[in-house]
Amino acid sequence: MSNGERTFFGHPWGLATLFGTEMWERFSWYGLRAILATFMAASPANHGLGLSEQTATAVVGLYGALIYLAALPGGWIADRFLGPRRSVLLGGSTIMCGHISMAVPVTGSFLIWLGLLLIISGTGLLKPNIGVMVGKLYSEEEDGRRDAGFSVFYLAINLGAFFAPIVVGWLATGNRWHLAFGAAAVGMALGLLAYVLGRGSLRGVGEQPGLPLTPSERRHAVRIIPLAVFAAVVAMAAWAASGTLTLDRFALAVTALILAVPVVYFSYILLGSHDLSEDEKSRMKAYVWLFAAAAIFWTVYDLAPSKLLFFAQKNTDLMLFGVHIQAATTQAFNPLFIMIFVPVFAALWTKLGTRVSTPQKFAFALVTVGLSFVVMAVAARLAESGKVSVWWLVLVYLIQVFGELSLSPVGLSVTTKLGPRAFKGQMLGIWFISISVGDAVGGQTGRLSAVVSEPAYYLVLALVAILAGLVLFLFTRRLRHLMSEHHPGSVPPVP
């Protein structure tokens, strides 16, 4: 970096542009997330959709799952067709249109479903590619500065996630749902404004696709993609014409398809003829275990915008330090704790080094998130006699953050480490699929509430997570062997 060049906390000024874009995009995403379930469960008399809590939980879970699944085609479109810069612009514009659609105060649900579809599509384009652009602001030799730059960028995510539930939750009071959806649209508009005004600071980063389609590949894509879309539309139309299509059945069917994705993908990697070395196959077998552990973790963790939100709304005395807060505001506890404890955990993992292995960190995360739902089971039992203090939820989110910081950043790191050389570029997409699976399955767990009590519901999920964590602890030695940690020299460097 030349002397006198404008910087952002010592980083290229382009980071300021991407920081502002990401912060406001996350504001729009977490703002909607904080009220979506309660809006769907609100009666039509209160301007909601009138869904049952079980169905609303399933839909919110499916919405989150599709957001992460959409990152795979979104990354492909940027790599092969649009380039990251145009993908982010198109994605942000599509997200804003989605929020505007939801903000229109009309009766009926068509504009709501259209808005969610647009937000899913837009986020699939924006989310994976804005991070790529952050990395490209630095030269290959600037590993330390790049890591620090991503830490600053991570702050943008959590700032948006912290303020969104507070602002949007307050705007939604009195059943002003569409006003709150409008605030999310304004947030994305501000993110787009920051992106467009700061485009000059990006210095050409992300203008071109990394591996453009050849003319023959483009012709093939032009034939296949419309055909696939047409087939999906025909299948949905036929299902609707049969009279058996319901929202619950649709959510269950899509959940089954999402579960099939990692099965097919891992089978393709391990059983296909890709000239994988024995070490690469061994590491991928270990990764399957870690993937399953991560999916279980997200199944419990990402119930925050549905089950925990309903608990806050119905069973919690929402007084915090003598101030009444909205149920949606409880969603701000998580990003607040993340901002506080990220430096602590970063220092902790650096100090512990290799004394604590990746499987042990994952196991700790599972046990921790399980213990958070043991706390929820106790709170739900106490709530049967009257509303409980909001501090129960504060404790739950605090415990869960310890688990997240033991699994989420570690998972990103181990994903790049264990992926076969032939699949390095696709492995982060596979990590996002673990979140997608967890969100989809977590949404379906809401159906348990129809057959078991609330305390039992939380306790069942707690036991599943804790038992999975204990099993992972027991198999740590075996997994370290599969991961080649017994002979690190055999692990090929990450390109």
Side-chain angles (χ1 to χ4, degrees), residues 17-187:
T17 297
L18 300 178
F19 183 101
T21 305
E22 179 72 358
M23 182 181 69
W24 285 112
E25 185 275 329
R26 289 291 89 183
F27 177 92
S28 71
W29 156 251
Y30 281 102
L32 173 60
R33 186 177 185 258
I35 63 171
L36 184 59
T38 46
F39 162 72
M40 289 185 165
S43 69
N46 291 324
H47 311 293
L49 295 188
L51 304 181
S52 68
E53 288 190 9
Q54 290 82 3
T55 301
T57 298
V59 171
V60 171
L62 187 61
Y63 168 65
L66 291 175
I67 285 284
Y68 287 103
L69 197 62
L72 288 177
W76 182 86
I77 289 171
D79 284 342
R80 308 304 307 276
F81 188 62
L82 291 178
R85 183 180 292 198
R86 282 184 291 174
S87 295
V88 169
L89 181 61
L90 178 60
S93 301
T94 306
I95 291 169
M96 185 179 67
C97 290
H99 287 299
I100 291 173
S101 177
M102 297 182 71
V104 178
V106 297
T107 56
S109 60
F110 173 75
L111 289 180
I112 298 298
W113 301 121
L114 174 62
L116 292 177
L117 179 61
L118 290 172
I119 293 167
I120 290 168
S121 303
T123 306
L125 278 171
L126 185 146
K127 187 61 180 169
N129 293 307
I130 194 168
V132 168
M133 293 176 67
V134 172
K136 290 183 178 295
L137 290 173
Y138 304 89
S139 67
E140 293 290 337
E141 297 77 26
E142 295 181 294
D143 288 340
R145 291 188 70 237
R146 184 185 301 107
D147 289 347
F150 271 105
S151 296
V152 175
F153 186 70
Y154 195 60
L155 176 62
I157 295 173
N158 286 289
L159 281 174
F162 174 71
F163 287 108
I166 299 172
V167 175
V168 176
W170 174 74
L171 289 173
T173 54
N175 302 315
R176 298 175 302 188
W177 308 108
H178 297 285
L179 177 63
F181 296 149
V186 170

Side-chain angles (χ1 to χ4, degrees), residues 438-460:
D439 281 7
V441 173
Q444 294 300 321
T445 65
R447 301 177 189 273
L448 287 174
S449 298
V451 294
V452 299
S453 67
E454 284 294 293
Y457 168 84
Y458 292 115
L459 200 56
V460 166

